[in-house]
């Protein structure tokens, strides 16, 4: 079967080379990215789509690649982490084809995104990684961002992986308070 393509003035959207649900799921990915209102990581997308039974991991990876190749989403890398957001053409495509995602599903996505937004924002604003040094210690790299601006970077060392994981968890839970306390201490 030859693929059926629609040209809408802002790009070609493949809708019939795969069964119809795949096209709807791609639109769902666009809808989630648009409604989130902030760039999402692969992990955040996997969690949102997988926990709610909307899209499995492997299909999501394929859809992200296809949406990116079609110019419908943007991928921005920060500190080695890919963040996905809809491109202008993706928003236009979504406006044009949004009715192909059921109103019930759109409402469900809206509700879940609204509940998850504070956590998504916090996860977007935090970047924490652990790397083992040549001496066998662990370096915990922490960064706190807001509106695309890095507000604080911190590197802390731990002697064991257990300590490093505890520090990573503590930073994730307390980053805003840590930043506020650092500012207060520096401005005294």
């Amino acid at each position: 079967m030859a693929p059926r393509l629609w040209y809408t003035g802002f790009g070609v959207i493949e809708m019939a080379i795969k069964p119809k649900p795949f096209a709807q799921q791609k639109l769902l990915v666009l809808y989630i990215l648009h409604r989130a209102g902030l760039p999402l990581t692969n992990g955040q997308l996997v969690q949102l789509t997988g926990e709610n039974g909307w899209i499995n991991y492997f299909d999501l990876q394929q859809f992200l690649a296809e949406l990116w190749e079609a110019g419908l989403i943007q991928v921005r890398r920060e500190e080695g982490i890919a963040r996905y957001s809809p491109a202008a053409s993706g928003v236009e495509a979504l406006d044009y084809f949004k009715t192909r995602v059921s109103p019930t599903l759109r409402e469900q996505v809206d509700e879940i995104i609204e509940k998850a937004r504070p956590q998504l924002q916090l996860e977007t604003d935090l970047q924490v990684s652990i790397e083992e040094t040549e001496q066998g210690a662990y370096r915990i790299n922490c960064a706190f961002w807001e509106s695309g601006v890095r507000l604080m970077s911190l590197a802390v060392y731990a002697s064991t992986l257990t300590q490093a994981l505890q520090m990573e968890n503590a930073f994730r839970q307390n980053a805003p308070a840590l930043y506020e306390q650092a500012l207060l201490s520096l401005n005294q």
Side-chain angles (χ1 to χ4, degrees):
M1 172 180 168
R4 225 171 36 191
L5 303 175
W6 278 270
Y7 181 75
T8 59
F10 45 81
V12 175
I13 297 182
E14 178 183 338
M15 299 294 281
I17 193 163
K18 292 188 174 182
K20 190 173 182 180
F22 284 108
Q24 290 170 335
Q25 288 178 312
K26 288 180 192 179
L27 288 169
L28 177 60
V29 172
L30 277 174
Y31 188 78
I32 290 168
L33 290 171
H34 180 65
R35 295 300 294 165
L38 60 130
L40 298 179
T41 65
N42 191 304
Q44 290 169 324
L45 283 167
V46 167
Q47 186 173 6
L48 283 169
T49 59
E51 281 183 359
N52 295 293
W54 298 328
I55 304 171
N56 71 50
Y57 173 86
F58 299 104
D59 287 341
L60 176 64
Q61 301 313 306
Q62 179 180 340
F63 299 155
L64 289 171
E66 291 173 5
L67 289 167
W68 179 77
E69 287 172 5
L72 298 173
I73 63 172
Q74 299 172 340
V75 181
R76 187 178 79 225
R77 294 202 180 276
E78 295 172 352
E79 307 278 324
I81 298 172
R83 300 188 185 280
Y84 299 90
S85 59
S89 59
V91 174
E92 288 181 45
L94 185 59
D95 286 342
Y96 191 75
F97 290 110
K98 183 167 51 176
T99 58
R100 295 190 184 212
V101 178
S102 76
T104 304
L105 184 54
R106 289 195 313 258
E107 288 174 16
Q108 187 181 11
V109 169
D110 291 346
E111 183 179 312
I112 288 168
I113 291 286
E114 194 57 39
K115 286 180 185 174
R117 185 170 279 115
Q119 183 63 32
L120 293 171
Q121 182 66 54
L122 184 60
E123 290 172 1
T124 299
D125 290 346
L126 294 177
Q127 295 176 353
V128 185
S129 65
I130 298 174
E131 56 189 51
E132 189 172 5
T133 66
E134 291 179 8
Q135 296 79 21
Y138 295 87
R139 176 183 164 131
I140 305 97
N141 300 304
C142 309
F144 184 59
W145 298 71
E146 187 174 288
S147 301
V149 176
R150 186 188 321 210
L151 299 177
M152 178 176 69
S153 291
L154 178 68
V156 184
Y157 290 85
S159 57
T160 68
L161 180 58
T162 301
Q163 287 176 328
L165 291 169
Q166 288 171 341
M167 288 181 190
E168 174 191 27
N169 187 45
F171 185 78
R172 287 188 188 282
Q173 292 177 359
N174 301 307
L178 180 61
Y179 176 68
E180 184 179 329
Q181 188 61 42
L183 283 181
L184 289 173
S185 297
L186 293 170
N187 288 316
Q188 288 182 358

